Amino acid sequence: MRRSVWRASVVAAMILAGAACRTAQHASEHATPNVATDTPHIPARQPAVFPPEWRFQPGGHATFAPHRMVVSNSMLASRAGVEIMARGGNAVDAAVAVGFALAVTYPAAGNLGGGGFMVIRMADGRTAALDYREIAPLAATRDMYVGPDGQLTDRGLVGALASGVPGAVAGMAEALRRYGTMSLAEVMAPAIRLADEGFVVDSALWRQLLAAQPLITRFAGATLFYPGGEALVPGTRLRQPDLARTLRAIADRGPSAFYTGPIADSLVAEMQRDGGIITRADLARYRPLWRTPVEGTFRGYRVISMPPSSSGGTTLIEALNILDGFPDAPFESATYKHLYAEAFRRAFVDRNTLLGDPAFVHVPVEHLVSRAYADSLRATIDVHAASRSPVFTASAREGMQTTSYSVVDAQGNAVATTTTINSLFGSGVWVRGAGFFLNNEMDDFTSRPGVPNQFGLVQGEANAIAPGKRMLSAMAPTIVLDPDGQLLLVLGAAGGPTIITAVASVTINVIEHRMSLADAVAAPRIHHQAWPDSLTYERGGLDSATIDSLHAMGHRLREVRSLTNLNAIMRVPGGYEGVPEPRASGGAAG
């Protein structure tokens, strides 16, 4: 296509997109509360086309339920959420129940010793974003992980010094206080039961323990998870009496039981044993923060996501805004992959250089998610050729150590939550007597500008370490509404920076490519984060012709086994469909 014709089509698409955006905004402002039986405003699904070598076939299975749905990386945790809703709780009650249950059944990422983000959309139209990200201890310093030789040490990854002040307990309790209908003791009952009575270890947990054995066996958790020096095998019943006691204390006395008293004393004692710097004062001063969600539209659908201190929502909407100005391109086409990569290249440059904790740096969110800014970035994209990222050297790494879960109730209340201790089993530090792992979230700060962290992210001064500061995150719990302002999608993901591109992929797959939710989640994913300057794709996810076309456009390609761990719910006629990540473990329950 000649450039003049392309430009004309882009302008036309932008005009139509703007009109659709205004229509969607008007509709959302006058929407009535949604219920599961309403018919979603979305065109009929179309069969997906995947490369022949891709490991998942189109036409996959989704779990259907007429009234309520929970999807997480643990079927036991999903069932805990459904149990709470069956007892009369709403989606927020259920989300808190799932969060505490994951601390028991999914210790690699579910946690009391980490933090997270929650995006809430109530059936009456209210929206909220809760930031319970960890914070740097008061004794933290700018160069605390730089060794005498000027090189980064591993102390931001392993051991007590890697831990930020945990926010999970305070955050979940705060969500329940403002939007829940049940008591903390009621919603925590399933988690306490799972810790007390135990659950059967499955192959997913066994594999995680095998992978993390060199880390965990350096610390006190080895006794529980590696009896006799070997990882718990599938079929073993895992009981966690120390964790059950901790959960009971929180259920009885609220979050203060975690941030003061014996549990806090145990956590601080662990710090002192291993050179950590979290103090009782750090724990006592921790507070979760309510924030205004960041919002945008894509093809007339409203996207609600997490603002800073997470970069997830801002980067997601910036990239979607860029793509929204281009005409549709088939999912399997090289053109779609190219435009997708170029949009995220630009969004990640901004993410890595401009975003940080808004209490410490000016974060130009309104500018970054504006249509005018997207127009200016789109004008720099050549539809036929890849651009180059500014010079930085980084190595890319992916992980699935975070966990995200989605909840919808019969009234149409929806919650998207992403929670993490960062790496698989966090810092490895196990709080003796309290029964949980501590995070290694301090690695998410910029320990040295221009030097990649464990996810290959090259970041700037906006995310430098400072006492009391929240480290920047890529988590992107997201809720999508249809053009009538009614619930369509609830989703989120794990995997460091690949979270953002995965959430975008599934959203686009549903809205633009008209895939079923099962196909939208199973579809091969690609990722670009500006640095390193390479387009990452999943093995078998691109056919040879597409690879050749992308090479010809100038893209540097990098193949990996798998990208990201995403759990999603979609509203469909008559109810909800839930799809856990087929690349990982988990379950949908309704």
Side-chain angles (χ1 to χ4, degrees), residues 284-304:
R285 71 189 294 271
Y286 183 86
R287 297 291 184 274
L289 297 175
W290 288 103
R291 302 191 187 275
T292 302
V294 61
E295 296 194 15
T297 58
F298 179 75
R299 307 302 194 216
Y301 291 75
R302 182 179 167 197
V303 180
I304 306 166

Side-chain angles (χ1 to χ4, degrees), residues 62 73 92 111 126 169 221 246 301 363 378 412 428 486 500 514:
N73 283 120
V92 178
N111 66 83
R126 288 176 294 160
V169 173
T246 293
Y301 291 75
V363 183
R378 192 182 311 109
Q486 298 193 22
I500 303 169
R514 301 186 183 181

